[in-house]
Amino acid sequence: MTDTEHTENDEDTTGTMYDVVVLGAGPVGENVADRTRAAGLSTAVVESELAGGECSYWACMPSKALLRPAIARADARRVPGLRHLVEGPLNAAEVLAHRDYEAADWKDDGQVAWLESIGAVFHRGHGRLAGPRRVVVDAPDGGRHVLTARHAVVVSTGSRAVLPDLPGLDEVRPWTSREATSAKQVPGRLIVVGGGVVAVEMATAWRALGSEVTVLVRGKGLLPRMEPFAGELVAEALTEAGADVRTGTSVTSVTRENGTVVALTDTGDRLEADEILFATGRAPRTDDIGLDTVGLEPGTWLSVDDSLRVTGSDWLYAVGDANHRALLTHQGKYQARIAGAAIAARAAGVPILESDPWGAHAATADHRAVPQVVFTDPEAASVGLSLAEAERAGHRVRAVDVEFSSVAGAGLYADGYRGRARMVVDLDREILRGVTFVGPAVGELIH
């Protein structure tokens, strides 16, 4: 049966048959569908929210739309002949309107049309596994559809924000990354809890838009997974921009009193704000997709082999955030291409991995050498291991540090350019174990 042949009888008994069923229509799921359709496999894509996923509506696109004006203004203020033209505040209404445009006003017509243009069948609704190779979709209109996969079911449901276990937190209606990137107005006062990427990017964006921002970090500094100087330089810049950055501070309770958020800390402080953002980690969105019906634990990260097939299964695959290899969109898309190729090869009876371990069917990219950029001012970019990580792994290494202010030409980019680079050199193998850059526009260098 082809992907366009639907009958009531099929749905009432074995379900509509496809070669591949993809759970999740974010950029990762879309890429899987693109590859399997290109290989001639009928493919259904199931999405409970918006086709295009987190990246299009609540992460990559809206966050960069919020951050770009902030960083462009900061850059202009460091260029002779321009700084006097950009001393005023950002036009928040224009920034938010452009953010809305880039997020397609949270409508997925274009993304659905693209899926249909490649020949995939889009099912809107909540999809759950119902045993091997079967997915039950509860549609928004109350209907139920049963999909059966000949060859593969692919989990690409992504991850979600984790909130701490604080009494009464639900009543406070805290922001997560989603609310932080989609808010319709600038809060007068914003508390940001956390020191990772989401925390520092959103602190940068909303401070530039006029919020009084307080950042509360439980640990010693910002960006704890990077070299210490990265967090230090970003913290200095946030402080200079008017944010209040407090390290070694945890929130012990939070309430909303007459519309005002009141947060108490373990240092004895009482803080008031209009909104509070918790950017305290991610968890897999696998808690309600029927993993228990195939012998897996709901709510867990899914372990996979290099063809992205779930450990112990010959038909279930997991790509992107769900397998916890690297929670980055570009890595998820890479995995999606590999998974699509592996599924197509297996469907055609082509043996893979054992005979072709370095070919197009194995995600063998080094998970420790994934480039990433934090779009703050200054930007922080890294690839590979930090010095501490390399030493913990037992490598004999040394750090080579360079102050960008001493590099010829840095002054051409910005007056008083401040930044730093570190290379972690393996003394035995004479290779780089890691590189970190911090400074304006260093995201353009990390590749």
Side-chain angles (χ1 to χ4, degrees):
M1 180 176 288
T2 68
D3 52 343
T4 58
E5 293 175 326
H6 299 265
T7 70
E8 290 300 321
N9 184 60
D10 287 329
E11 294 186 358
D12 289 342
T13 55
T14 60
T16 307
M17 183 74 72
Y18 299 93
D19 291 321
V20 181
V21 177
V22 180
L23 285 178
V28 179
E30 288 175 333
N31 270 264
V32 173
D34 193 28
R35 289 304 169 108
T36 56
R37 285 298 300 135
L41 300 178
S42 60
T43 303
V45 182
V46 182
E47 176 55 57
S48 61
E49 296 185 308
L50 296 175
E54 202 80 12
C55 185
S56 296
Y57 307 104
W58 301 287
C60 318
M61 299 297 286
S63 69
K64 301 311 168 287
L66 292 173
L67 286 161
R68 177 59 185 154
I71 293 171
R73 181 180 66 171
D75 281 343
R77 285 176 170 175
R78 290 186 282 259
V79 177
L82 275 181
R83 60 172 60 96
H84 69 286
L85 299 176
V86 289
E87 287 304 320
L90 294 173
N91 185 317
E94 287 189 9
V95 173
L96 296 181
H98 180 66
R99 183 274 319 270
D100 293 353
Y101 171 79
E102 291 296 335
D105 289 309
W106 292 272
K107 297 176 182 177
D108 63 358
D109 303 28
Q111 302 274 16
V112 173
W114 180 84
L115 281 167
E116 293 174 343
S117 76
I118 65 170
V121 177
F122 181 70
H123 290 266
R124 194 182 298 281
H126 189 90
R128 297 179 181 84
L129 290 165
R133 303 176 192 269
R134 286 169 66 85
V135 173
V136 174
V137 182
D138 291 317
D141 62 5
R144 173 167 286 191
H145 308 282
V146 179
L147 315 180
T148 303
R150 288 189 186 90
H151 300 296
V153 175
V154 183
V155 176
S156 59
T157 49
S159 62
R160 58 177 174 80
V162 174
L163 289 171
D165 185 17
L166 288 175
L169 190 59
D170 289 344
E171 286 71 28
V172 174
R173 302 182 306 281
W175 280 9
T176 66
S177 54
R178 285 195 168 193
E179 291 77 18
T181 56
S182 63
K184 296 301 184 183
Q185 60 186 22
V186 179
R189 299 163 298 173
L190 174 65
I191 297 172
V192 177
V193 182
V197 176
V198 171
V200 296
E201 286 191 348
M202 291 299 94
T204 298
W206 289 109
R207 177 62 199 133
L209 287 167
S211 291
E212 295 180 11
V213 173
T214 301
V215 182
L216 306 180
V217 189
R218 181 174 59 183
K220 296 180 179 179
L222 303 178
L223 300 175
R225 296 187 179 181
M226 287 186 165
E227 297 285 3
F229 67 81
E232 292 167 4
L233 291 175
V234 170
E236 287 177 12
L238 280 171
T239 301
E240 289 175 4
D244 181 3
V245 180
R246 307 184 187 189
T247 58
T249 303
S250 295
V251 175
T252 56
S253 70
V254 58
T255 57
R256 193 179 283 271
E257 302 173 4
N258 299 319
T260 298
V261 174
V262 178
L264 302 182
T265 72
D266 59 354
T267 57
D269 293 323
R270 173 190 167 97
L271 303 174
E272 295 186 358
D274 299 287
E275 302 292 349
I276 185 167
L277 162 63
F278 282 92
T280 49
R282 308 288 296 180
R285 294 186 64 186
T286 60
D287 50 322
D288 190 21
I289 60 169
L291 290 182
D292 54 310
T293 70
V294 294
L296 297 170
E297 184 179 349
T300 58
W301 306 102
L302 296 174
S303 175
V304 296
D305 64 19
D306 280 343
S307 70
L308 288 312
R309 191 165 57 176
V310 173
T311 304
S313 175
D314 63 356
W315 59 273
L316 185 63
Y317 292 72
V319 291
D321 285 11
N323 65 36
H324 207 233
R325 283 192 168 195
L327 275 64
L328 295 164
T329 299
H330 60 83
Q331 277 289 295
K333 288 182 175 181
Y334 160 69
Q335 294 174 17
R337 294 191 292 271
I338 297 298
I343 291 167
R346 288 189 172 117
V350 177
I352 63 173
L353 284 185
E354 294 81 10
S355 60
D356 189 22
W358 305 106
H361 309 122
T364 54
D366 190 340
H367 309 148
R368 296 163 299 180
V370 178
Q372 58 182 315
V373 180
V374 184
F375 292 93
T376 46
D377 173 45
E379 290 179 349
S382 68
V383 59
L385 302 177
S386 67
L387 177 63
E389 289 171 337
E391 290 174 340
R392 284 197 298 268
H395 303 299
R396 195 170 69 91
V397 294
R398 73 181 180 94
V400 178
D401 292 340
V402 175
E403 291 292 333
F404 277 142
S405 58
S406 66
V407 175
L412 295 175
Y413 185 85
D415 190 20
Y417 190 106
R418 287 186 297 172
R420 188 180 305 174
R422 168 170 287 179
M423 293 178 289
V424 179
V425 181
D426 188 309
L427 298 174
D428 296 318
R429 295 189 59 192
E430 297 184 346
I431 61 172
L432 293 179
R433 290 288 179 182
V435 175
T436 300
F437 298 148
V438 181
V442 296
E444 300 300 326
L445 302 179
I446 198 62
H447 65 277

